[in-house]
Amino acid sequence: QVAQALPDKRIVIAVDGLYAAKNFFGDLPQNVSAVSRIRKDAALRSAIAPPSRGQRRRIRGERLGSLDELAAVGKRRTATLRKQGRTVDVRMHGLTCQWYHVCRTKPVRVVFVEDPTGREDAFRAVCSDPTLPDEQIIQTFYDRWGIEECFQESKQQMGMERTRGWSVQTVTRQTPMAMLINTLVKLWYLQQSAQKPDLLPETPPWYTTKRVPSYHDMLAMLRRALWEERLKFNFRQRWKLNNVSKALLYALCEAA
């Protein structure tokens, strides 16, 4: 629906490895490209060059080796990317080829990535658009982490999976509403955090490496602001933040 509404826009999406299948990855709209993990047993073939005049056109390229064999060859280069809020250096090399089982004759780009420090496992990503730079393909794959965080926050904090309904209307209403509230909380935080930083909950002393607030902190900040306004409005006497009221607000804003 987005591709039909924006036919002149080039859309690049990041999906889970389960979507790297023929019924999705191999049937994308013309203006949509997808990035995903590639399955370990993918049978890759060499890309087919346009046939010369009078030459019979081949459909499939020559069968290439396994992904492990292809990962061991190729000229590697180092790139600096953003991953889960931090800067990382990776070594990569790419290959334009056919993944006939999924995309038929349409060429794809497979990028092999490894951690120079050896701390993280190597992985392979595939993109349905071979013209995209390897760095952009891997950065798109890394950016998918934010989508997973949004799902987790909506499920754990906004109750996206708590409503039990079997009708289409329940699914199409409740899930988008949970995602919408998730977004509104973050937008509210971006607007208010600079004006009222004291509303944020105190970071426990054992979180020595924590630098940015979590979604739970944003939600607690919103609860605290709402409860302060509610208590001030309902109390006839002037509301003062004493130790008792601070403890009450802390308990309220931390409540699930």
Side-chain angles (χ1 to χ4, degrees):
Q1 291 178 352
V2 174
Q4 292 176 358
L6 304 172
D8 299 330
K9 297 293 184 179
R10 191 65 189 169
I11 303 172
V12 181
I13 60 176
V15 295
D16 187 83
L18 186 64
Y19 289 89
K22 180 181 177 181
N23 57 357
F24 177 82
F25 211 84
D27 193 25
L28 293 170
Q30 292 293 329
N31 59 330
V32 177
S33 302
V35 176
S36 173
R37 279 185 182 269
I38 189 171
R39 51 188 298 176
K40 295 181 179 180
D41 61 347
L44 302 181
R45 298 178 177 272
S46 60
I48 296 295
S52 302
R53 185 175 182 179
Q55 185 181 10
R56 184 179 179 181
R57 183 178 183 272
R58 293 185 58 184
I59 297 178
R60 303 189 188 186
E62 298 293 335
R63 176 66 185 271
L64 301 176
S66 65
L67 289 181
D68 292 335
E69 294 172 346
L70 296 175
V73 299
K75 185 178 180 181
R76 295 169 175 79
R77 63 182 186 278
T78 303
T80 302
L81 303 174
R82 295 287 298 174
K83 181 182 180 181
Q84 300 177 15
R86 69 183 191 276
T87 302
V88 296
D89 293 327
V90 297
R91 283 201 302 260
M92 66 173 65
H93 68 281
L95 171 68
T96 300
C97 56
Q98 279 185 346
W99 192 9
Y100 189 84
H101 179 70
V102 173
C103 297
R104 295 306 185 194
T105 58
K106 183 181 178 180
V108 298
R109 184 71 176 177
V110 178
V111 185
F112 303 87
V113 182
E114 59 184 18
D115 182 8
T117 63
R119 298 177 181 175
E120 300 185 11
D121 296 335
F123 69 93
R124 296 99 186 208
V126 60
C127 179
S128 62
D129 184 1
T131 63
L132 291 181
D134 294 345
E135 290 80 2
Q136 182 178 350
I137 293 174
I138 302 304
Q139 186 61 70
T140 302
F141 180 83
Y142 283 157
D143 291 344
R144 179 177 159 268
W145 178 256
I147 303 174
E148 295 296 330
E149 285 184 325
C150 186
F151 289 154
Q152 189 270 343
E153 293 160 357
S154 298
K155 291 177 181 179
Q156 299 295 327
Q157 305 292 340
M158 296 290 102
M160 192 172 76
E161 290 185 332
R162 296 176 190 170
T163 300
R164 300 188 179 186
W166 300 96
S167 67
V168 175
Q169 290 182 344
T170 300
V171 177
T172 55
R173 291 174 181 175
Q174 194 272 340
T175 299
M177 180 59 66
M179 302 288 286
L180 176 61
I181 296 175
N182 184 311
T183 303
L184 292 176
V185 171
K186 294 178 180 178
L187 291 175
W188 178 88
Y189 167 79
L190 291 175
Q191 183 183 37
Q192 297 293 325
S193 59
Q195 302 176 8
K196 301 177 181 180
D198 57 319
L199 288 178
L200 277 173
E202 297 181 3
T203 302
W206 52 84
Y207 285 150
T208 58
T209 60
K210 186 175 181 179
R211 297 291 181 268
V212 294
S214 64
Y215 180 74
H216 181 79
D217 294 335
M218 300 178 192
L219 199 58
M221 180 177 176
L222 175 59
R223 289 194 183 111
R224 183 173 179 181
L226 294 176
W227 274 107
E228 279 193 3
E229 292 298 325
R230 183 175 298 180
L231 292 174
K232 288 179 181 178
F233 178 78
N234 290 324
F235 273 76
R236 295 182 179 180
Q237 297 180 356
R238 185 176 180 182
W239 174 257
K240 294 183 180 180
L241 283 177
N242 51 35
N243 292 334
V244 176
S245 59
K246 287 182 180 179
L248 174 62
L249 286 176
Y250 180 82
L252 291 173
C253 71
E254 289 292 331

